[in-house]
Amino acid sequence: MSLPSVVPADGLPARVTIYEVGPRDGLQNEKGLVPTEVKAEFVRRLIAAGLPIVEATSFVHPTWVPQLADAAELMVMLGEQGRDLPVLVPNERGLDRALELGCKHIAIFGSATETFAQKNLNRSLDAQFAMFEPTVARAREHGLDVRAYVSMCFGDPWEGAVPIDQVVAVGKRLFDLGASQLSLGDTIGVGTAGHVTALVDAFATAGMVTDQLALHFHDTYGQALANTLSALRSGITTFDASAGGLGGCPYAKSATGNLATEDLVWMLTGLGIEHGVDLDQLVATSSWMAQHLGRPSPSAVVRAVGA
Ligand code: HMG
Ligand code: MG
């Protein structure tokens, strides 16, 4: 059996968009280099499994993230299909590279904390805006869609607790540069369900509607599904997830894999929430990738369904 019983619960959205980050957030953290053809096949299989959005790669500095240094080769390999997939872009140099390849969707990624801005972007918290501002302005002039991520929304490994007001101030400022969506990252997975409600409420008070927000959970402490349910109750309808639970962040110690897409799909299916993903095809894809990576998937659903 590869589907749960469907028993809907009151007060939840009818449909959710899953924003797949496995090829980017997942593979950026792998020790070994994954061949570009394998990455292309991974992306194609995820799309074939019904994932509506697959973030393909990053146009960051190749020495900062060597795992994704083949971003251009991958996009060429993906051809026309690749142009509709979002890619991470930190600055104007990254934007130039993405524009050359005809990318139509980019994602910038800011930090809610000073320390992580320094570690991940080599910029102060304030200086990150000077990097993103011209990048987003020029992307919008070229008609590109821009997503903004904000990291360390629930806690930071160097600074500890991160005040909600600080997250809202940084997130809102990133979004207001010209983004269509703001993804709230629990980069190190320390968030819990009540914190999710409080953060979403604080963004609502600051004037953002739930459709403008996505939640990006890492499952370090096993809270990602509980946090997802909490966000669903607050009306959030976009969730980032990574096939097989791959992932982490090379510049955040203690960041582990993202919420596994299979675990998310299982829960949404059980709640009767539409998502459009074929679980068997997705599990087959993650099992295939696990073989390439030489270790089993950390996703409970991949292990249970694949057994
Ligand atoms: P920097 O060293 O300060 O860059 O790095 P710079 O602006 O001083 O430029 C130095 C040189 O790098 C120049 O070359 C630039 O052209 C070149 P030179 O003139 O010396 O020959 N350069 C580039 N080359 C290629 N592509 C580029 C690029 N930019 C500059 N884009 C930088 C600043 C932002 C580039 C660097 O810190 C960086 O690449 N950081 C990326 C780190 C990263 O990718 N982290 C993981 C993604 S974030 C994440 O995972 C969190 C998320 O999942 C959400 C969550 O979980 O919270 C999104
Ligand atoms: Mg992440």
Side-chain angles (χ1 to χ4, degrees), residues 25 216 218 258:
D25 210 345
H216 177 106
H218 284 256
N258 293 78

Side-chain angles (χ1 to χ4, degrees), residues 122-159:
N122 201 25
R123 298 287 181 280
S124 69
L125 183 68
D126 243 8
Q128 67 181 337
F129 294 103
M131 182 167 79
F132 294 135
E133 202 178 329
T135 309
V136 175
R138 205 147 64 75
R140 301 290 296 126
E141 277 161 32
H142 281 85
L144 270 57
D145 170 66
V146 179
R147 175 183 233 223
Y149 283 98
V150 56
S151 288
M152 302 300 175
C153 292
F154 295 86
D156 172 288
W158 300 278
E159 298 184 18

Side-chain angles (χ1 to χ4, degrees), residues 164-165 167-169 171-173 175-176 182 198-209 212-213:
I164 285 183
D165 310 359
V167 176
V168 173
K172 189 84 180 27
R173 202 169 152 192
F175 179 77
D176 288 343
L182 179 70
L199 189 64
V200 174
D201 284 353
F203 272 101
T205 304
M208 287 193 64
V209 298
Q212 294 169 328
L213 296 172

Side-chain angles (χ1 to χ4, degrees), residues 24-25 28 59-62 64-65 88 90-91 93-94 97 109 120-123 131 149-152 185-187 216 218 248-251:
R24 193 280 302 170
D25 210 345
Q28 77 182 6
F59 288 96
V60 297
H61 196 295
W64 280 64
V65 183
L88 234 59
N91 55 12
R93 174 78 189 101
R97 294 171 61 204
F109 49 103
N120 200 46
L121 297 166
N122 201 25
R123 298 287 181 280
M131 182 167 79
Y149 283 98
V150 56
S151 288
M152 302 300 175
D186 186 6
T187 320
H216 177 106
H218 284 256
C249 176
Y251 292 98

